Amino acid sequence: IPEFAFKGQIWRFVTYMFLHGGFWHIALNMFVLWMFGPRIEEVWGRRTFLIYYFVCGIGGAVTYGVFSLVGLQAQTPMVGASGAIFGLLLAFGVTYPDTLIMIFFIIPMRAKYAVMVFGLIELLSVPRSNSQTAHLAHLGGMLFGYLFLLWATGGRLGRIPRVPRFGGGGRRPPASGYDRSARAGSSV
């Protein structure tokens, strides 16, 4: 990404998300998207969800690219939707913080803590120079997702994010918040 994208081939910031490094890479990313995506999209709406997903994915690429250009990340090819997926994990943890999720199908953990654990694992994995994983892209997806949520909720993360429409009309969901108590005992 960095070498070509920062030299004018800006489409690479988007297209890298549609390439993957093997069967398990795409299978895990799509499993997480299938598991958490519909619940977020149902609450946020299709338009906000799609914009958020691409902001996280592009943000992951930009983060990885900047660190690669200054020599702080290995110059390995970056592929996959993992930046967007980590942003989606953050969104789920913010939207459904007390929902129990099963980590590796056996460890029950509240979503807000799972997000923190996975973020910490990624942060601690960055210094490993021999890794073929773009950990900074994962963290970048989470960072850009957090910044998006701050912007789209007016700094109140407990509210549904709203993206303003520029130009045309269309239906806009009500601006009310969602009820956290309805989600307190749910699980995924």
Side-chain angles (χ1 to χ4, degrees):
I1 286 248
E3 185 179 333
F4 297 108
F6 286 112
K7 290 182 180 177
Q9 297 181 9
I10 59 172
W11 60 85
R12 290 181 183 247
F13 286 113
V14 175
T15 57
Y16 89 97
M17 290 188 284
F18 299 99
L19 304 171
H20 284 80
F23 173 77
W24 290 112
H25 187 204
I26 193 168
L28 183 60
N29 280 347
M30 294 305 100
F31 175 72
V32 173
L33 179 61
W34 170 79
M35 191 166 175
F36 300 119
R39 293 189 67 187
I40 299 297
E41 183 184 18
E42 182 180 9
V43 173
W44 290 8
R46 181 172 292 143
R47 181 175 174 271
T48 301
F49 175 81
L50 187 62
I51 292 169
Y52 178 81
Y53 186 83
F54 277 99
V55 164
C56 292
I58 293 168
V62 169
T63 303
Y64 179 83
V66 167
F67 278 90
S68 292
L69 288 175
V70 296
L72 297 176
Q73 178 71 33
Q75 290 287 336
T76 58
M78 187 178 72
V79 295
S82 299
I85 294 299
F86 270 79
L88 182 62
L89 288 173
L90 173 75
F92 190 84
V94 168
T95 306
Y96 300 100
D98 294 319
T99 299
L100 284 177
I101 58 177
M102 299 299 287
I103 307 298
F104 307 115
F105 302 106
I106 56 172
I107 304 168
M109 188 179 296
R110 298 215 180 274
K112 60 187 172 188
Y113 300 126
V115 169
M116 289 186 251
V117 166
F118 283 116
L120 183 62
I121 289 170
E122 290 302 311
L123 186 62
L124 295 174
S125 298
V126 169
R128 293 187 350 206
S129 60
N130 62 347
S131 175
Q132 293 295 313
T133 304
H135 299 289
L136 284 169
H138 301 167
L139 290 170
M142 291 180 97
L143 172 66
F144 275 74
Y146 180 75
L147 294 174
F148 176 92
L149 290 174
L150 283 178
W151 170 76
T153 62
R156 296 184 302 263
L157 294 179
R159 296 187 59 140
I160 298 173
R162 297 291 177 220
V163 179
R165 291 193 178 271
F166 302 103
R171 184 179 68 80
R172 183 173 172 90
S176 65
Y178 48 89
D179 181 14
R180 287 185 182 268
S181 64
R183 299 185 317 268
S186 63
S187 65
V188 173

